[in-house]
Amino acid sequence: MAFKRLIAAGILAVSVISAPVQAETLADTLRDAYHNSGLLDQNRALLRAADEGVAQSLAALRPVITWEAEAAYGRVTGTRPRIADSLSASVTVSASLLLYDHGASELATEAQKALVLQTRQGLIGIEQDILLRGVTAYMNVRRASEFLALRRSNVTVIQRELQAARDRFEVGEVTRTDVSLAEAELAAAQSQLAAAEGDLVQANEEFRAAIGRAPGALEVVSPARVEANIESARSYAQQNHPDVIAAQHAVTAAELNIRRAQANLNPTLSLRGSLEADDAGDVTQGLSLTYGGTIYAGGQLQSLVREAQANRDANRAGLLLAVQSVSQNLGNAYAILQVAQASSQATDLQIRAAQTAFRGIREEATLGARTTLDVLNAEQDLLNARVSKVSADADSVIASYQVLSTMGLLTAEHLNLGVQTYDPTAYYNLVSDAPTARSEQGQALDRVLQAIGD
């Protein structure tokens, strides 16, 4: 009966996985992933650069004032031995203002605004990638930790089975073959334990890279709530996914650029003025109105129109591809989720059946009706069922958040993470009217840049 008690103790060890004390939640992990992401910081900076494009295009409609100081020295020599030196100086202030260009500058500004909106959607897409990576890293650490616990318990069980086999061998109940089988099974279990330890180290490293710190004790997580009707989810994703919206803004920008290129074929009207003072005290003032355009430039302007049209066609195709990709990814995500959920339910049945089979085989082994190999195989079947359950549960959680990502809903705001989210309009509002450094708005902008470390 010693063998029976040892096996029962081993099964108890496999069944019990200690509950973490003060475990961190998935929300805690995702908050840190959001705050610590260098990729988010990088793309926020790229968005600010796109915002500056609006300011630069707007500046084309404003006066341009320049100044120039000149000092000149001259020497005049002739056929006679006579040399005359001259020295002059002048300061010139010039101003120019584009009065009319058939809307080309305004169209450039509108196109840049569309690119800003496209970049904002790209930032949302990056946020989704960061949070999905955080979910995956969290669940993989939990998966690897539970695998390791199961492997350790398995080694303990087999060690006890080996000792029991040796005890029974001593009294002649089993042969040396039974002992050797248990020894081989123990060696295999120890090898699997070493592999599980390595997997956990790798999972921890990925967690550190994704979250910005080492993992603590991680709480059990349930799958996220997702839309039950896949077609409703597909319809929502095709209209609201950031990749689709970004592609729509790209098409808008491309169409505006066509109109801009066409407008550049027309003449422009400009006002120019200058004020020059020289060292003699003379002041010269000038004011001119200029209207003109290009007669011939080797076909460059017409080529720019055709290039803009080709880019528009490419972006329209990109929009179609984005919709198709989102639809496909959504279908794949739902399929993976359904498979994981079905696998989790099936492994519940598998575990119950494996437990029943193991208990029966263990009882029969104590009566001499089963061999040590039968017991080891039954224990391995139970272990495999438990491993499959852990993996299926982790896959279910990851797949559920993947569904949210394919719908465009895996954001800090939708998940209610309680973090201070990045406001993409704050910087835009400061720079959209191209403030100068000395203006009140420009000084406010300087304070913002200092706050973000630029």
Side-chain angles (χ1 to χ4, degrees):
M1 298 302 291
F3 177 78
K4 180 176 179 180
R5 289 193 297 271
L6 289 173
I7 295 299
I11 292 300
L12 181 61
V14 173
S15 303
V16 177
I17 299 176
S18 58
V21 178
Q22 296 181 342
E24 67 174 275
T25 65
L26 179 58
D28 296 332
T29 298
L30 296 183
R31 277 191 287 269
D32 286 341
Y34 184 88
H35 287 308
N36 298 332
S37 173
L39 189 58
L40 277 177
D41 291 338
Q42 178 190 46
N43 282 270
R44 288 166 183 166
L46 293 175
L47 176 57
R48 293 195 296 272
D51 292 342
E52 294 293 352
V54 176
Q56 293 162 18
S57 60
L58 182 64
L61 298 173
R62 293 186 174 179
V64 178
I65 302 174
T66 62
W67 67 273
E68 181 181 15
E70 182 182 24
Y73 167 77
R75 169 172 287 192
V76 179
T77 60
T79 56
R80 299 178 182 181
R82 175 177 170 272
I83 299 176
D85 293 330
S86 65
L87 183 65
S88 64
S90 65
V91 176
T92 304
V93 177
S94 302
S96 64
L97 175 64
L98 178 65
L99 297 179
Y100 183 64
D101 63 354
H102 292 269
S105 296
E106 293 179 352
L107 288 167
T109 300
E110 292 305 312
Q112 190 61 43
K113 289 180 179 178
L115 291 178
V116 167
L117 296 177
Q118 178 187 4
T119 308
R120 288 182 185 178
Q121 294 301 316
L123 182 59
I124 295 175
I126 293 297
E127 179 182 342
Q128 290 205 134
D129 292 343
I130 293 298
L131 295 180
L132 183 59
R133 185 184 180 188
V135 171
T136 304
Y138 184 103
M139 295 310 302
N140 282 341
V141 169
R142 275 199 53 83
R143 188 202 315 256
S145 298
E146 294 187 35
F147 280 0
L148 181 58
L150 289 170
R151 295 300 179 189
R152 284 174 175 165
S153 297
N154 184 43
V155 168
T156 300
V157 169
I158 296 176
Q159 286 174 336
R160 291 172 178 170
E161 291 173 354
L162 174 59
Q163 185 59 49
R166 286 171 175 167
D167 292 341
R168 297 175 67 195
F169 174 72
E170 292 296 331
V171 298
E173 293 183 5
V174 297
T175 67
R176 180 62 190 172
T177 301
D178 294 277
V179 176
S180 297
L181 288 171
E183 290 174 341
E185 192 70 19
L186 176 60
Q190 289 171 334
S191 175
Q192 292 171 337
L193 173 60
E197 290 172 342
D199 291 341
L200 179 57
V201 170
Q202 294 180 58
N204 286 338
E205 290 300 324
E206 168 59 15
F207 187 99
R208 189 188 298 272
I211 312 303
R213 59 170 176 79
L218 305 182
E219 191 177 76
V220 176
V221 179
S222 298
R225 286 189 174 185
V226 298
E227 171 63 48
N229 188 312
I230 184 173
E231 292 307 320
S232 297
R234 194 190 307 275
S235 176
Y236 180 90
Q238 290 175 342
Q239 298 178 43
N240 297 281
H241 194 279
D243 288 353
V244 174
I245 299 176
Q248 291 171 343
H249 289 309
V251 171
T252 300
E255 291 174 342
L256 289 169
N257 282 328
I258 293 175
R259 295 169 56 191
R260 176 191 175 190
Q262 292 170 338
N264 285 331
L265 297 172
N266 299 310
T268 60
L269 179 64
S270 301
L271 177 66
R272 294 186 177 89
S274 63
L275 178 65
E276 180 180 356
D278 59 23
D279 56 351
D282 296 330
V283 177
T284 303
Q285 303 177 24
L287 187 66
S288 64
L289 193 64
T290 304
Y291 184 70
T294 302
I295 296 177
Y296 179 70
Q300 180 190 33
L301 297 181
Q302 291 78 9
S303 176
L304 291 173
V305 173
R306 295 192 298 271
E307 180 187 25
Q309 291 171 338
N311 286 332
R312 185 269 317 276
D313 295 341
N315 281 294
R316 284 179 174 174
L319 174 58
L320 176 61
L321 290 174
V323 173
Q324 292 174 340
S325 177
V326 165
S327 178
Q328 179 184 8
N329 291 339
L330 180 77
N332 291 341
Y334 266 94
I336 293 171
L337 176 60
Q338 291 168 357
V339 169
Q341 290 174 336
S343 178
S344 179
Q345 295 172 359
T347 52
D348 285 333
L349 299 175
Q350 183 183 1
I351 288 173
R352 288 196 293 270
Q355 285 176 329
T356 301
F358 181 80
R359 293 191 188 101
I361 292 173
R362 180 195 59 197
E363 292 291 342
E364 293 170 5
T366 60
L367 300 175
R370 292 281 186 169
T371 66
T372 301
L373 179 59
D374 293 330
V375 176
L376 293 174
N377 288 339
E379 194 279 331
Q380 186 63 45
D381 289 342
L382 178 56
L383 174 65
N384 291 340
R386 293 186 183 279
V387 168
S388 297
K389 172 64 175 176
V390 169
S391 189
D393 288 345
D395 289 341
S396 294
V397 173
I398 295 172
S400 67
Y401 282 92
Q402 179 69 53
V403 168
L404 292 181
S405 177
T406 57
M407 292 180 66
L409 296 176
L410 190 58
T411 63
E413 180 180 2
H414 182 78
L415 297 178
N416 295 319
L417 295 182
V419 297
Q420 184 175 356
T421 56
Y422 182 80
D423 183 2
T425 64
Y427 188 86
Y428 175 85
N429 291 337
L430 285 174
V431 303
S432 59
D433 60 352
T436 61
R438 296 181 179 273
S439 67
E440 181 178 345
Q441 192 168 347
Q443 293 172 357
L445 179 59
D446 288 339
R447 291 191 293 270
V448 170
L449 292 175
Q450 291 175 358
I452 61 180
D454 289 347

